[in-house]
Amino acid sequence: MKTLKFWEGEFGDEYAARNKIVPTHFQSRVGMWSDIFKSLTDVKTALEVGAGQGINLQAIKEVSDSKLFAVEPNEVARNSLISNKVIPALNLRNGHGEAIASSDKTFDLVFTSGVLIHIEPKRLRHVCAEIYRVSRKYIVCIEYFSDKNEEVPYRGHTGKLFKRDFGAFWMDNHKSLKLLDYGFVWKRVTGLDNLTYWVFTK
């Protein structure tokens, strides 16, 4: 669990401090979620696994009335989620993707954004299985894309960032998933970080 300790500790604190909302970038994220929600219906509850400062949750508030929940291992980020009133404290869980403290099929939508890229490859299948378990209907994956599995140095660290075709990984390991949509968010015009998203239904 070295990677989890990494995000719970000082580096995770620094990450939380760096990732403040930039208004122009936030509007781009709202636009991304608006596009994603075109494929979703009747989403009453949504869980973000690895919510950070809650930028995605705040964007979802702009396009949906879903009741929002989060799992986040870093204390600084959790405190920010509460102090900034992103979600109620009761809806926030101190945890991580390998052990989500919720019953099966609890949330209509479960998603990650820039989280699976930081999961060690040998643990990725288990994290995705947990996400699949607690999702009632939809899974959304927003990550960096590569057509080959590769490790990328991350702010002077090794073993902390991995790129792959996450959409294919989901479909290969959970055959019942159906792809509803996918898209690319280009940094040059949005300010977001060249994100690829996939929208699945169970």
Side-chain angles (χ1 to χ4, degrees):
M1 302 293 283
K2 291 181 180 179
T3 298
L4 178 59
K5 296 296 183 183
F6 183 77
W7 290 104
E8 287 178 331
E10 183 179 351
F11 188 90
D13 296 348
E14 294 170 354
Y15 179 89
R18 280 198 308 272
N19 284 270
K20 304 294 185 182
I21 291 180
V22 178
T24 54
H25 297 177
F26 180 69
Q27 290 307 312
S28 295
R29 197 167 291 268
V30 172
M32 177 187 71
W33 277 106
S34 178
D35 288 340
I36 289 171
F37 264 83
K38 290 175 184 177
S39 300
L40 312 179
T41 58
D42 197 28
V43 177
K44 295 178 181 177
T45 55
L47 170 72
E48 181 171 14
V49 178
Q53 296 264 13
I55 297 171
N56 288 289
L57 296 171
Q58 294 190 60
I60 290 174
K61 286 183 178 181
E62 299 291 320
V63 301
S64 169
D65 293 326
S66 305
K67 187 175 182 180
L68 302 176
F69 297 81
V71 170
E72 172 53 50
N74 182 268
E75 185 178 6
V76 170
R78 290 197 306 273
N79 289 340
S80 177
L81 287 167
I82 295 170
S83 63
N84 291 326
K85 299 181 180 179
V86 178
I87 60 174
L90 288 175
N91 294 3
L92 176 60
R93 290 157 171 77
N94 172 9
H96 52 89
E98 290 198 53
I100 301 173
S102 297
S103 302
D104 295 357
K105 300 181 180 180
T106 298
F107 308 100
D108 297 320
L109 164 66
V110 183
F111 71 94
T112 63
S113 179
V115 168
L116 298 185
I117 56 172
H118 297 303
I119 303 297
E120 298 167 86
K122 65 182 179 181
R123 298 182 180 277
L124 183 61
R125 184 175 286 106
H126 179 68
V127 171
C128 290
E130 273 290 275
I131 291 169
Y132 184 91
R133 179 183 67 80
V134 300
S135 166
R136 186 185 71 81
K137 189 172 183 181
Y138 298 114
I139 293 170
V140 170
C141 171
I142 308 167
E143 306 287 345
Y144 295 152
F145 173 85
S146 175
D147 58 2
K148 62 181 183 297
N149 298 348
E150 59 178 323
E151 180 184 335
V152 180
Y154 184 59
R155 293 183 175 268
H157 297 272
T158 59
K160 298 296 183 290
L161 197 155
F162 308 91
K163 295 169 67 174
R164 65 166 68 220
D165 183 341
F166 287 97
F169 186 88
W170 270 110
M171 296 182 77
D172 290 344
N173 286 278
H174 295 277
K175 304 292 187 181
S176 66
L177 289 180
K178 295 181 180 179
L179 180 68
L180 297 178
D181 195 13
Y182 64 94
F184 177 66
V185 185
W186 190 22
K187 184 174 183 177
R188 176 150 184 162
V189 297
T190 66
L192 304 184
D193 208 7
N194 291 332
L195 303 173
T196 299
Y197 65 80
W198 297 266
V199 183
F200 298 108
T201 188
K202 296 176 76 171

